Every structure is written in structure tokens, then in C-alpha cells.
Amino acid sequence: MHTELRDHIDARSAEAPLPGCRFCAAPLRRTFVDLGMSPLCESYVPAERLGDMEPFYPLHARICESCLLVQLEEFVAPEDIFTEYAYFSSYSDSWVAHARAYVEMAVERFGIGPDSLVVEVASNDGYLLQHVVERGIPAVGIEPAANVAVAAREKGIETVVEFFGRELAARLVAGGRRADLLAANNVMAHVPDLNDFVGGMEPLLAPQGVVTIEVPHLLRLVEDNQFDTIYHEHFSYFSFLTARKVLAAHGLEVFDVDELATHGGSLRLYAQRRSSGRRPVGPKVEALAERERALGFDTLEGHDGFSARVEETKWRLLEFLIQCRRDGRRVAGYGAPGKGNTLLNYCGIRTDLLEFTVDRNPYKQGQFLPGTHIPIRHPEALEQARPDFILILPWNLKDEIVAQLSYAREWGARCVVPIPEVEVL
Ligand SMILES: [Zn+2]
């Protein structure tokens, strides 16, 4: 009898196995934060499909008890997300400026010139490589979204429309291409097959080549309560310690690291081939590792307590929005970023609390936010509606947006950010 019962339980767990860690394959049992069910954050809804069903998937971040990588299970293949992508990097002024500053720094620091090759993974619409090509330096972009790759080619940037991994790296090397500088900005978090992606980097590097990787920093996510940066397309959430561990497993040595303000706080890792790189490891590497250890990022328990803070943030934002309505004040949004969709769906915010939002990206205008069906309008709609409060959804760009919205002060509008806690600016 006991044997039969146990057999039954074993069979059930074989049918519905726990998801495995995308880095080390250990079963994922432990919750980091569970944001419930949410639609894909870039699946904007056109007016004619407002009556259709929308798929919702769990937004349940877990932490691997073995390697400590915080991650989401893969519910939707990247082919379904990134092959027609609504995000054109060039629509953000500050992002283009960030890319220009990066190119100036990297060209100078690593002696990149007309005889070098710069490769960028997830090159989007050429927002970064345009600054490389301008200097007469050969460049290749790798970008799986055909619609944004077209925009890059129009800027004269050679672009391979594929996902990056070991196989593509091998083909590029077979074609005589080795990267003196390999840039992978804001992509490593978005790849479901992390080992295949990182595994393609070392082979593609020239012996003395440098890879730079920018990735949102889990430390900032936790300390600044940035739970809205958790969305289905963002599979992995790296501390410096876990990122370094993943790179080391694929033959790459991190020799320097910068902490950047982008995306609410990112890391820029500088790595080289462990076998042939000759750059000394700088002091910032061990200093940051030590800081993370002091904050508990080297232990499971060090990641606890985040869920409760996320709930509190939801309640405070709802209290603010409900009070606005009770006081007869109007609230509109600014921006239609992926992070806004996590926030609005998790908080259950609909048009009764947020009438509409606006976005500069014409691709999004006229469509509706996934799940919440809040309409996305042209920024001019703000001047027509004259709301009392403007909720800035891409809070990471708040300084740029507050400057853009200076005209709204004419009718007394105030800007509001929802994260880390709701705050009227
Ligand atoms: Zn793991």
C-alpha cells in the first residue's frame, strides 16, 4: 500500500516536474517574488482585438537554491517575443546618448580602430553601432527582430537577423570574423538559453578581445524595490556574483565592472578570455563582490523579504490613485514601457484609475496596454486632457521625462513616480 502510494506521488512529480535552473539545472523550489498572472508586456492590443482573449502567464520569480540565480520560467519562446519587437532604442534620447558615451569610452580604452571589428549582440535599430560606423570602424550587428534590423541597415550597419549563440558564433568565426570588442547590452537577462548565449562569446572574441555586458543589477532591483522590471521577457536577474559565476563557467574572466544608472541600476561587466586575456583584474571587481556578500547576496536568506515590500508598494500606489479619484483629480500616464505593464497588471489598475497613457513611439500609439487595456495616445493628448497628475511609468527616465513635460506645469500638473514608492515630484 505504502509502496503504491509513493509510486503514485513519484509518477505525478514526473508528469509535472519542477522547472530547472537555466544555468545549473537544479530544481527551482524557492520563490523570490510571485507577481501573479500577467500578459506578455510587449503584446500591445490593437483596437480591433480588444474583445479577444489574451494569454496570461505566471510572473513568478524563483531563486535557485544551488547557484542563487533569480529567474523566471520560460513560458513563451523568444521567437514569439523578439522577432517583431516594438522597442526601438533610438526613441529614447538618453539611451542614444548613453550608447555614444559607451562607444567613446570603449574605443579609447581598448584601442579600437579601423583595423578592429566591433560586434554587438541585440543591436536593435543601430542606436549604438551608428557611433562605431561613424568613426570608420567595421561593425556587425546581431538582431533577431527583423523590423528593427531594417532600421539599422538603413543607417548602413551590417546586421545579421538571428539569435546569438554558440552556433552563430562558430559561423562568424568560420567566416573570418573575430570581435576585438563584443558588446552585449541589455540582452543577457533576456535569453532563455543562457548557457548557449554566453557560450558563444568566448569563441567569437579575438585572443585579446574584450566583451562588455550590461545587465540590470539585482542589488538595485532589491534595494530600490524595482519589482516592475520583472516581466516574462526578462528571464534572469543577476547579482554581480551570479553573473561572474556564469561567465566563468564559459571561459570568461571579469576584469572590471562599472555600476551604471541605466535601467534603474545596471552593471557593465568587462571580461576577457581566461586563456589568453592579459588585462589585470581591477580593484572594483573584488570590492563589489565583497559588498554583495556583506548584503547577503551570497546566501538564500539574503534574498528574503522582498515579497512583503512589493505588496506594500502596490497598496500605497492604489491608495494614491483611489484618493485622486475621490478628490475629483484626473490621472494620466506617461510612457508605455514593459515595466509599466507589470506594475499596472500586478496592481489591477484600469482606466478608472489611469485614464490613458502617452508614448512617443508611433508603433504604440492608438493601441492599448496588454491586460489593462489602458489606451496609448500621442503625447499631445496630455495638453488636450490637462490631467492633474502624470504617472511616469518609465521611472528610470524620469529626469528626461520631467524635462519634456515642463509645459504641463502651465495647467498645474504634477509628475508622479510609482517606484520605489509612490512619490509626487
Ligand atoms: Zn542554478
Side-chain angles (χ1 to χ4, degrees):
M1 183 65 189
H2 282 144
T3 312
E4 273 178 32
L5 183 61
R6 202 175 63 191
D7 286 347
H8 178 67
I9 290 166
D10 285 350
R12 279 182 56 85
S13 60
E15 275 168 33
L18 288 165
C21 171
R22 67 170 38 84
F23 174 54
C24 78
L28 294 172
R29 283 184 286 251
R30 193 168 171 123
T31 293
F32 176 66
V33 65
D34 186 354
L35 301 173
M37 299 289 285
S38 209
L40 295 184
C41 75
E42 297 284 344
S43 299
Y44 299 93
V45 183
E48 64 275 15
R49 292 218 309 266
L50 280 174
D52 294 356
M53 284 198 293
E54 286 174 86
F56 278 56
Y57 303 93
L59 206 45
H60 184 171
R62 294 184 170 90
I63 180 165
C64 176
E65 291 163 281
S66 175
C67 73
L68 302 180
L69 180 63
V70 172
Q71 56 198 291
L72 292 180
E73 202 178 335
E74 181 189 353
F75 289 101
V76 184
E79 287 76 7
D80 296 331
I81 301 172
F82 295 115
T83 44
E84 169 84 16
Y85 202 41
Y87 189 77
F88 286 74
S89 301
S90 297
Y91 285 113
S92 165
D93 298 338
S94 62
W95 198 238
V96 172
H98 172 77
R100 185 184 303 117
Y102 164 83
V103 170
E104 281 169 12
M105 177 282 298
V107 163
E108 167 81 23
R109 179 169 175 188
F110 301 119
I112 304 295
D115 299 330
S116 311
L117 177 66
V118 177
V119 176
E120 189 190 14
V121 180
S123 50
N124 200 272
D125 59 6
Y127 72 104
L128 187 146
L129 288 180
Q130 63 187 351
H131 305 300
V132 175
V133 171
E134 262 170 22
R135 292 160 179 262
I137 300 167
V140 178
I142 299 167
E143 171 52 59
N147 61 327
V148 292
V150 165
R153 285 175 176 157
E154 282 167 2
K155 295 181 180 124
I157 297 158
E158 180 186 343
T159 304
V160 180
V161 182
E162 281 187 58
F163 284 96
F164 181 74
R166 290 184 178 108
E167 194 271 329
L168 174 56
R171 249 187 298 134
L172 288 167
V173 171
R177 306 204 111 158
R178 294 261 190 188
D180 299 287
L181 177 65
L182 175 59
N185 294 342
N186 295 294
V187 56
M188 190 164 78
H190 298 266
V191 292
D193 192 344
L194 181 62
N195 289 317
D196 183 58
F197 179 84
V198 178
M201 291 180 169
E202 195 255 7
L204 183 58
L205 278 186
Q208 306 295 315
V210 172
V211 55
T212 68
I213 297 168
E214 290 182 23
V215 68
H217 192 187
L218 180 69
L219 184 153
R220 293 260 60 85
L221 187 156
V222 170
E223 296 219 314
D224 300 338
N225 199 25
Q226 302 167 358
F227 66 91
D228 60 342
T229 62
I230 298 172
Y231 44 84
H232 297 104
E233 294 87 338
H234 189 173
F235 296 113
S236 305
Y237 301 81
F238 296 96
S239 63
F240 176 61
L241 294 171
T242 54
R244 188 170 64 162
K245 199 183 308 184
V246 170
L247 296 185
H250 294 284
L252 293 166
E253 177 187 48
V254 175
F255 64 87
D256 202 1
V257 60
D258 293 332
E259 291 177 76
L260 309 174
T262 47
H263 291 282
S266 298
L267 294 174
R268 180 188 286 150
L269 306 158
Y270 300 80
Q272 61 188 349
R273 290 178 153 216
R274 192 171 44 225
S275 57
S276 56
R278 294 204 200 106
R279 292 180 175 82
V281 176
K284 285 194 277 182
V285 169
E286 187 46 36
L288 182 54
E290 186 47 45
R291 210 171 98 221
E292 286 199 349
R293 285 192 286 266
L295 290 166
F297 284 93
D298 58 338
T299 67
L300 269 176
E301 300 69 32
H303 294 75
D304 286 346
F306 187 61
S307 284
R309 186 159 174 219
V310 168
E311 282 187 349
E312 178 64 29
T313 306
K314 169 186 183 171
W315 298 337
R316 285 196 199 178
L317 177 60
L318 287 171
E319 280 165 357
F320 170 79
L321 293 172
I322 291 168
Q323 196 58 49
C324 284
R325 286 308 309 264
R326 293 204 187 285
D327 296 344
R329 293 173 182 268
R330 299 179 66 185
V331 188
Y334 189 96
K339 60 169 67 68
N341 291 324
T342 293
L343 178 81
L344 299 171
N345 276 292
Y346 170 65
C347 295
I349 293 166
R350 302 290 184 273
T351 50
D352 58 328
L353 297 178
L354 190 69
E355 289 181 42
F356 64 89
T357 191
V358 300
D359 200 282
R360 289 169 76 188
N361 183 346
Y363 186 95
K364 297 180 183 175
Q365 290 163 10
Q367 303 208 65
F368 293 77
L369 297 182
T372 61
H373 290 189
I374 292 168
I376 309 165
R377 299 192 178 142
H378 188 280
E380 282 173 4
L382 288 175
E383 283 187 274
Q384 287 150 16
R386 301 192 159 218
D388 300 290
F389 293 103
I390 302 171
L391 182 66
I392 297 176
L393 295 171
W395 44 259
N396 53 308
L397 304 175
K398 76 175 176 187
D399 294 340
E400 173 183 346
I401 291 167
V402 167
Q404 280 173 23
L405 288 175
S406 57
Y407 62 87
R409 282 197 290 260
E410 279 173 32
W411 69 84
R414 308 277 306 271
C415 289
V416 181
V417 287
I419 299 286
E421 303 295 345
V422 64
E423 184 190 358
V424 179
L425 300 174

